[in-house]
Amino acid sequence: MQSKQRKISINYRPLQISGDIEVIGSVPDMQVYQADKAEYTPDYTLTPLTLFPRCNATDPDAIVKIGNVNAALTNMKWYERVGSSRTLITSANTNYVITDSGSEKGKIQMKKNVSTINPVTLEFYAEYVDSKRSGQTHVFQFSRLIRTVDGSAPQPKLMIDSPAGLDWNPLRDIVRQTITAKLIVGDTDVTATSKCKFFFYRKLDNGTLEQIVDGNGDNDWEFVSLSKNVLTIDRNYIGKEITYVCKASYSASGSPSSTPNSNIDYVSTTIRRRIPAIEIDWKGVPQQVADGTTVIYPQPIIRDTVGDIPNPSELLECEWRTKAAGASSYSLVATGYNPRIPFTDGMMLNLTVIDRGPYAALVTSDGKYIVNSDNKFVVARKRIV
């Protein structure tokens, strides 16, 4: 007699990791030094610069829900690089304060000013172990340049009214968002003058920037309009997240360049689609039904911390499953908000509420866009996997 044994394991696909260093609060990551006054604006010794290395992980197999993993980071380090010198930042360095636990793990405060001739690069390193799936170790590495400019001549300062990181809740927040840019030179707002131009970009999945011009680009699904300094988008067309970058050019004489000035720092905003925790239940079905009942008609109840979700069918789908008495698993028997469900005595009823996802263009099996009789793209909500 012969026998053979072999271990069979799951072949997990690697986690998809992403992130960046975000500026937290209103203190910018660039200073202005006025030599005649020997003053820094802002002065990091009085109002520290706060940076947060946001570390995200996505399970491509959707086996576990992960998201932000800062609290689980290991072997975390911050380095300070000045020129060719690279130094590990430890707790003994009073110029920095690092958060080493909790959901804000990795957050760093910089409490020293930067020389105009020696900019500082802060480099972040951390590891994340995929302990629930593959045991694989993933590495996060980000860097941020902190510099000081000479304030003897006013330095144009570009800003937008959307924060560096913005979570939008499609269940409650308005769909359209305007991103308004402003350029300040010294104490003067030059936004509405002929001295400046603004340039908006969309960051693609491969990290490259695609300029947004007129809404006719290949990726302009969420585009609504663009004026000189105002970009309007429809967030219903945003998938998991999207990053916009704004740049500018400026000329005191009134002839700004048709391309961004490299000496004007760009600003960005990352908009993330986030539906918070919801509470689900149903009504219309008592725990004990009358003898002879063959069909039940439950109605879902979906709430968040504010109350009942308005018009939930627009964004959420209901899946109804039953398990007969003695059965080992549930079976899908209906979908929607007015189900007709066959009843058997002793059965279990289960309701699952699913995000229908953002809008996406429909394509044929060979990858061509589907259009209607007016030659407009046909769109439908697509669940994010």
Side-chain angles (χ1 to χ4, degrees):
M1 177 180 293
Q2 293 180 328
S3 65
K4 183 177 182 179
Q5 295 179 336
R6 177 183 295 172
K7 183 178 180 181
I8 302 175
S9 303
I10 298 175
N11 182 22
Y12 293 106
R13 288 191 292 169
L15 292 176
Q16 298 173 351
I17 62 172
S18 62
D20 202 354
I21 296 177
E22 298 179 356
V23 176
I24 304 300
S26 59
V27 179
D29 60 349
M30 185 184 73
Q31 296 179 288
V32 177
Y33 179 70
Q34 293 178 289
D36 56 336
K37 300 179 182 179
E39 289 182 354
Y40 285 87
T41 305
D43 187 339
Y44 291 162
T45 64
L46 301 176
T47 53
L49 169 66
T50 304
L51 302 175
F52 179 64
R54 185 177 296 277
C55 301
N56 300 318
T58 302
D59 179 7
D61 297 312
I63 293 175
V64 293
K65 183 178 181 181
I66 304 177
N68 182 271
V69 297
N70 282 69
L73 295 176
T74 60
N75 198 21
M76 183 187 73
K77 300 180 180 70
W78 276 100
Y79 295 90
E80 179 191 69
R81 181 182 292 278
V82 180
S84 60
S85 176
R86 185 171 185 258
T87 305
L88 176 66
I89 300 174
T90 67
S91 57
N93 189 336
T94 58
N95 290 322
Y96 298 92
V97 175
I98 298 174
T99 301
D100 57 9
S101 63
S103 61
E104 292 186 332
K105 185 174 183 178
K107 185 176 74 174
I108 187 171
Q109 284 189 313
M110 183 177 187
K111 296 185 173 183
K112 74 169 190 175
N113 295 318
V114 178
S115 166
T116 56
I117 59 175
N118 290 309
V120 173
T121 298
L122 294 180
E123 299 176 352
F124 175 81
Y125 176 93
E127 297 173 356
Y128 172 72
V129 179
D130 183 10
S131 57
K132 295 183 179 179
R133 299 165 69 255
S134 65
Q136 182 180 1
T137 298
H138 299 269
V139 173
F140 291 92
Q141 287 182 284
F142 312 128
S143 64
R144 191 88 178 194
L145 176 65
I146 316 299
R147 64 191 183 94
T148 297
V149 297
D150 187 353
S152 56
Q155 180 70 18
K157 175 63 178 178
L158 177 63
M159 60 189 71
I160 55 176
D161 62 356
S162 184
L166 173 65
D167 289 350
W168 93 280
N169 175 10
L171 297 179
R172 294 290 180 180
D173 298 338
I174 60 173
V175 171
R176 288 197 175 185
Q177 178 183 349
T178 58
I179 302 173
T180 303
K182 180 185 292 187
L183 192 68
I184 306 294
V185 180
D187 298 326
T188 304
D189 184 348
V190 299
T191 305
T193 71
S194 61
K195 298 179 179 181
C196 60
K197 291 182 179 180
F198 298 89
F199 308 85
F200 285 91
Y201 302 84
R202 177 190 299 105
K203 182 179 285 189
L204 304 181
D205 291 340
N206 61 7
T208 60
L209 298 182
E210 176 186 69
Q211 187 173 356
I212 302 171
V213 180
D214 55 11
N216 294 319
D218 292 339
N219 300 294
D220 284 336
W221 299 106
E222 82 287 358
F223 177 92
V224 176
S225 64
L226 176 64
S227 65
K228 176 180 180 178
N229 65 310
V230 180
L231 172 66
T232 303
I233 59 172
D234 185 333
R235 295 188 288 194
N236 257 329
Y237 289 85
I238 294 176
K240 292 180 180 179
E241 65 179 37
I242 191 169
T243 297
Y244 296 100
V245 173
C246 182
K247 300 182 180 183
S249 63
Y250 170 77
S251 169
S253 65
S255 301
S257 172
S258 58
T259 58
N261 293 157
S262 59
N263 66 328
I264 301 178
D265 285 344
Y266 70 85
V267 288
S268 66
T269 179
T270 298
I271 303 169
R272 310 179 187 92
R273 190 178 196 272
R274 295 287 187 271
I275 292 181
I278 58 175
E279 176 186 340
I280 61 175
D281 201 347
W282 61 76
K283 61 182 179 180
V285 181
Q287 287 188 328
Q288 294 181 333
V289 299
D291 184 24
T293 300
T294 59
V295 178
I296 56 176
Y297 302 91
Q299 293 180 304
I301 301 172
I302 307 174
R303 303 187 181 97
D304 60 11
T305 56
V306 179
D308 290 346
I309 301 297
N311 193 24
S313 60
E314 174 67 20
L315 291 155
L316 304 173
E317 180 62 280
C318 294
E319 292 184 347
W320 301 88
R321 292 176 172 83
T322 60
K323 182 172 70 171
S328 60
S329 61
Y330 283 88
S331 298
L332 181 66
V333 294
T335 60
Y337 287 74
N338 296 287
R340 182 181 186 276
I341 299 176
F343 171 77
T344 58
D345 187 26
M347 78 178 194
M348 299 290 292
L349 179 63
N350 173 269
L351 168 61
T352 302
V353 176
I354 299 170
D355 178 11
R356 293 179 59 200
Y359 283 120
L362 300 182
V363 297
T364 61
S365 58
D366 58 355
K368 295 181 180 179
Y369 290 117
I370 299 175
V371 297
N372 59 20
S373 58
D374 296 326
N375 204 36
K376 294 183 178 180
F377 294 110
V378 178
V379 297
R381 291 193 180 275
K382 180 181 178 182
R383 183 181 175 188
I384 300 176
V385 180

